[in-house]
Amino acid sequence: MSMQLADPKQLKGFRDNLQKFHDPLLAVFSEYAQSSDEAEQRTRRMMALAFSEAQTNPSLLRCTPQSVLRSLLVVTQMGLSIGGDEAYLIGYGKDCTVVPGYQGLVTLAANSGFMRSINYDVICVHDDFTVKGQGVFTHIRSFNDPECLCRHDPKAFYDNVQGSWVEIELTTGGTQRTLMDWQEINSVRSGREGFGWQSYPWRMSAKTVLRRALRTMPKRPDMSPDLMKAIVLNDRADKNDPMPLRGLEFNIPEELDDATTPQEN
């Protein structure tokens, strides 16, 4: 899959507009930085990251620069990072939002302290998979697919996938297992065939099951607010929500709030 290149003129306009939000960002980082130099460094790194993301994801150039910076602030405040399947910037018209990935949900769940470990796998057509009861099953990978192609090749995945499962071992004891067949997963995927489903469908499949597992888990006092926000952000992204950050408590300066104006190029 070829990478779309950003237009140099648009990039320059985007970079110039980013500079307008230096001071609001600096004010945020000054609240918890150890020194003014550290706050300045953090501000410059975030602005550089915003520009770098726009270079590799030209759809962000249609977004207002304040919405891109706002989304990066949210990623930072949740303790995640862009890339590595932790979080992604997604453009919806002129508005950019952040969508935590599978690894991001795992990281936030681990930080909550209620999860000791988590395992997941894709069920392929030749695997030996047997459901023995509610939340009880056995899964043995097929020797007919020694390279596990359906777990790292998109075409093989779609040709062979039968479902996916997630197993969460709780620190309080016990294990929660969640299983979804491909028909269920595909109904969630329907109409949302973005980069993740094209390139890493096995991870997106596991993420779909993990989200169900976390939503159906009994309410826990040790489930972090950031994890619950991450679930909400994913749900709103599914619905192409034009204001995905509304009602979520993040430290966002007024200059970067949802009342954005179109960027000038």
Side-chain angles (χ1 to χ4, degrees), residues 135-150:
V136 181
F137 50 79
T138 59
H139 183 197
I140 302 174
R141 291 185 178 186
S142 171
F143 288 107
N144 293 327
D145 185 21
E147 297 181 359
C148 297
L149 288 177
C150 70

Side-chain angles (χ1 to χ4, degrees), residues 222-243:
D222 52 357
M223 185 175 286
S224 75
D226 283 337
L227 176 57
M228 291 186 282
K229 292 174 186 177
I231 296 172
V232 171
L233 284 170
N234 271 281
D235 290 344
R236 290 179 178 178
D238 283 349
K239 299 174 183 177
N240 292 321
D241 194 317
M243 296 179 63

Side-chain angles (χ1 to χ4, degrees), residues 73-99:
L73 269 178
V74 167
V75 173
T76 300
Q77 291 174 20
M78 294 178 77
L80 301 178
S81 59
I82 296 296
D85 199 34
E86 284 209 340
Y88 301 91
L89 297 185
I90 307 293
Y92 293 103
K94 294 183 181 299
D95 194 55
C96 173
T97 189
V98 56
V99 178

Side-chain angles (χ1 to χ4, degrees), residues 62-224:
R62 295 192 294 270
C63 302
T64 60
Q66 55 265 54
S67 74
V68 176
L69 292 171
R70 183 173 66 240
S71 296
L72 288 173
L73 269 178
V74 167
V75 173
T76 300
Q77 291 174 20
M78 294 178 77
L80 301 178
S81 59
I82 296 296
D85 199 34
E86 284 209 340
Y88 301 91
L89 297 185
I90 307 293
Y92 293 103
K94 294 183 181 299
D95 194 55
C96 173
T97 189
V98 56
V99 178
Y102 172 82
Q103 191 56 50
L105 293 178
V106 170
T107 297
L108 293 172
N111 291 343
S112 290
F114 67 84
M115 185 183 76
R116 178 173 287 116
S117 67
I118 183 168
N119 295 301
Y120 80 93
D121 206 352
V122 171
I123 308 164
C124 296
V125 66
H126 297 297
D127 291 352
D128 183 358
F129 185 85
T130 305
V131 177
K132 296 186 175 182
Q134 184 69 32
V136 181
F137 50 79
T138 59
H139 183 197
I140 302 174
R141 291 185 178 186
S142 171
F143 288 107
N144 293 327
D145 185 21
E147 297 181 359
C148 297
L149 288 177
C150 70
R151 296 170 179 88
H152 63 255
D153 177 81
K155 184 179 185 306
F157 173 88
Y158 287 114
D159 288 345
N160 294 284
V161 64
Q162 299 290 294
S164 188
W165 57 264
V166 167
E167 179 183 82
I168 300 175
E169 184 182 1
L170 305 174
T171 54
T172 53
T175 301
Q176 175 168 324
R177 298 180 179 89
T178 304
L179 168 68
M180 293 177 68
D181 62 31
W182 176 242
Q183 184 175 358
E184 292 179 286
I185 296 170
N186 198 38
S187 67
V188 175
R189 180 185 73 107
S190 178
R192 293 181 287 275
E193 299 184 19
F195 175 77
W197 283 109
Q198 292 174 21
S199 303
Y200 306 102
W202 48 91
R203 275 295 183 95
M204 295 297 291
S205 174
K207 177 183 172 182
T208 301
V209 182
L210 177 59
R211 286 168 57 192
R212 172 176 287 188
L214 293 172
R215 278 199 302 265
T216 58
M217 183 177 289
K219 297 298 181 183
R220 305 178 58 89
D222 52 357
M223 185 175 286
S224 75

